[in-house]
Amino acid sequence: MKKTYSLFFLALFQSITFNLAHPITPSFISELGFSNSLFGIFFAAMSLGIVIGAPIWGYLSDKDHPYKFMILGSVVYIFGQLGFGFFGSVIPMVLSRFFAGLGASSLVTIMPALLIQSSSNSEKPKVLSYLGGIIIFGSSLGYYLGGLLSYFKTSLNFDTYQYVFLVQIFILILYILLLKIILSPMNNFKMNIKNSWLDSYKILSKLKTNQILFFYSLMLATMSFTFMSKFLDVHFISQGYSPNHLGFYVLMTGLFSIFSFIYIIPYFLKFNKMKLLVSSLIISAISIIVTFSFSPFIVLIYSIYLFFILARSTYQPTEQLTISSFDGFTVGELMGIRQFFIGIGMFLGPILGGYLYDQSSIFSFYFNALLLLFSSLLAYFSLKKK
């Protein structure tokens, strides 16, 4: 359990740090004169880095000590954030987001693989549930702290929000030191697979039909969840609220999520996984439609939208458990494949959603609700066939 707690701590620290710049990003991009659709392209470029990097990191983590690749990924992410915060022109910033995604994919791929490998079969549902809660809470706390950092722009008369990226990079350096200190003594994760790194992509051809359907369902759900996560930020700011208000809202919903992960979701995970997956996707879709069909926005976002957050929080550990049960693959390979399809969803969601949001913000939310309903159908047929 000591290893598990250490990994939980690192996951919390990682989630806080990675999200420090998120609440100021819509305002930062607006200051540069860029459109909402370009906001989606920036995020999509990062997701493309995740798509390309995830299977490779998953494979490499099976070949050698994982902490080496988590450190390497962190360094790549640091350079990506520096470029995004300080280049100031579109193409270099897009490339910077790509490299940030390439680096981030090592961390989001390897961390769940380490936790799965260090847990018994009976512990995995609880461990993954706690990991989901920790990631959401850490992300929420990072949003809140980033919102607080936004105050310094006014109080210290800064011209831009670039100082937030510098603070984030300093904390990332501390995170790298923690990775070295905590993970280097843990030397029993290596699986000694004797293939070339190109085989990390070739394994996609080994997926069975029901597994392919499930991963496509995951991709569609990720498209919707990613759009909702990122463009809710944009919509929040467009309604006249500040980055600090956004940070506080995300913190409150994060506290709700951690409560759910500790007290509600472990109980849900005792039920049939197929029914749980399908119902969580349907409830997410209905919550989106209701929240953005009526007013006032601030009341609905603190009430009806909580059902979306609970359903989304239930979906994550359930799909991870389902994927980890697929036979014919190592844990590292499965998490790499999972992150590959998540990365595709994270790439397509902001691009398509950003375009639709510029045309009609309400229609873009309806469209993403439709994606979740279609995802629920694919999940149902994939697991029914299984």
Side-chain angles (χ1 to χ4, degrees):
M1 287 302 293
K2 183 179 179 181
K3 291 180 181 178
T4 301
Y5 290 140
S6 297
L7 292 169
F8 280 160
F9 170 73
L10 289 173
L12 177 64
F13 199 96
Q14 170 186 313
S15 300
I16 293 171
T17 308
F18 274 37
N19 286 275
L20 277 176
H22 284 178
I24 60 94
T25 300
S27 299
F28 175 68
I29 290 175
S30 178
E31 284 181 347
L32 295 174
F34 300 148
S35 66
N36 290 325
S37 59
L38 194 53
F39 173 85
I41 291 173
F42 285 142
F43 192 82
M46 183 175 182
S47 301
L48 181 61
I50 293 175
V51 170
I52 294 174
I56 299 175
W57 293 118
Y59 169 76
L60 290 174
S61 69
D62 287 335
K63 291 285 286 183
D64 202 350
H65 202 304
Y67 89 90
K68 297 178 182 179
F69 305 108
M70 295 179 77
I71 288 175
L72 178 60
S74 299
V75 172
V76 174
Y77 182 76
I78 284 174
F79 282 105
Q81 287 298 91
L82 268 174
F84 182 70
F86 290 89
F87 275 131
S89 56
V90 174
I91 294 178
M93 289 176 71
V94 169
L95 292 175
S96 296
R97 295 310 283 168
F98 170 79
F99 282 105
L102 198 64
S105 66
S106 73
L107 303 168
V108 298
T109 299
I110 295 173
M111 184 64 73
L114 290 180
L115 280 165
I116 289 173
Q117 288 176 248
S118 63
S119 306
S120 65
N121 288 333
S122 61
E123 291 175 335
K124 285 178 183 177
K126 183 186 294 185
V127 167
L128 289 175
S129 178
Y130 287 167
L131 174 64
I134 288 168
I135 290 173
I136 289 181
F137 176 69
S139 301
S140 303
L141 188 56
Y143 260 86
Y144 178 69
L145 295 175
L148 292 180
L149 286 173
S150 70
Y151 272 135
F152 290 105
K153 181 174 183 290
T154 302
S155 60
L156 298 180
N157 293 318
F158 288 138
D159 294 328
T160 73
Y161 287 108
Q162 290 175 326
Y163 66 92
V164 177
F165 295 100
L166 293 177
V167 172
Q168 183 187 40
I169 289 166
F170 174 75
I171 299 175
L172 280 166
I173 294 172
L174 295 179
Y175 177 66
I176 290 174
L177 295 176
L178 286 174
L179 287 174
K180 173 68 175 176
I181 293 169
I182 294 175
L183 291 185
S184 59
M186 301 182 189
N187 57 6
N188 61 337
F189 290 114
K190 186 177 175 181
M191 301 176 86
N192 297 312
I193 296 175
K194 299 179 180 179
N195 299 322
S196 73
W197 66 270
L198 288 173
D199 289 331
S200 59
Y201 286 101
K202 293 178 183 178
I203 58 175
L204 294 172
S205 64
K206 299 178 183 178
L207 292 171
K208 300 175 183 177
T209 302
N210 67 297
Q211 294 170 341
I212 293 173
L213 284 176
F214 187 84
F215 280 118
Y216 277 131
S217 170
L218 174 64
M219 182 187 73
L220 292 178
T222 303
M223 286 178 64
S224 181
F225 289 148
T226 303
F227 171 83
M228 294 306 302
S229 173
K230 297 306 164 189
F231 278 85
L232 181 63
D233 296 358
V234 174
H235 197 66
F236 211 98
I237 299 299
S238 73
Q239 298 297 304
Y241 299 98
S242 69
N244 186 55
H245 285 126
L246 173 61
F248 179 78
Y249 168 74
V250 175
L251 176 63
M252 291 299 100
T253 56
L255 292 173
F256 173 74
S257 296
I258 197 70
F259 174 84
S260 301
F261 273 109
I262 294 175
Y263 296 106
I264 301 176
I265 295 175
Y267 174 75
F268 285 170
L269 292 177
K270 297 177 182 179
F271 294 100
N272 179 276
K273 297 297 183 294
M274 181 185 72
K275 294 180 180 179
L276 193 59
L277 274 168
V278 172
S279 60
S280 64
L281 290 168
I282 293 174
I283 291 171
S284 295
I286 294 173
S287 301
I288 291 173
I289 293 170
V290 174
T291 299
F292 294 95
S293 295
F294 303 99
S295 59
F297 169 75
I298 197 65
V299 173
L300 293 167
I301 209 72
Y302 274 101
S303 54
I304 299 298
Y305 200 70
L306 294 181
F307 288 98
F308 169 83
I309 292 170
L310 177 60
R312 183 192 62 189
S313 300
T314 302
Y315 176 80
Q316 181 182 345
T318 310
E319 55 88 358
Q320 285 179 321
L321 284 171
T322 302
I323 291 170
S324 66
S325 69
F326 291 165
D327 55 6
F329 304 93
T330 68
V331 173
E333 287 173 336
L334 284 172
M335 291 301 105
I337 295 170
R338 172 183 178 270
Q339 201 60 45
F340 175 79
F341 280 92
I342 285 177
I344 294 175
M346 292 173 67
F347 174 74
L348 295 176
I351 289 181
L352 181 58
Y355 171 77
L356 293 176
Y357 187 89
D358 271 347
Q359 307 305 311
S360 170
S361 60
I362 299 301
F363 177 76
S364 67
F365 292 120
Y366 290 164
F367 177 80
N368 280 275
L370 184 63
L371 284 181
L372 290 173
L373 292 175
F374 190 46
S375 174
S376 69
L377 286 175
L378 289 180
Y380 172 78
F381 286 114
S382 67
L383 297 179
K384 183 181 180 182
K385 187 170 183 177
K386 179 182 176 182

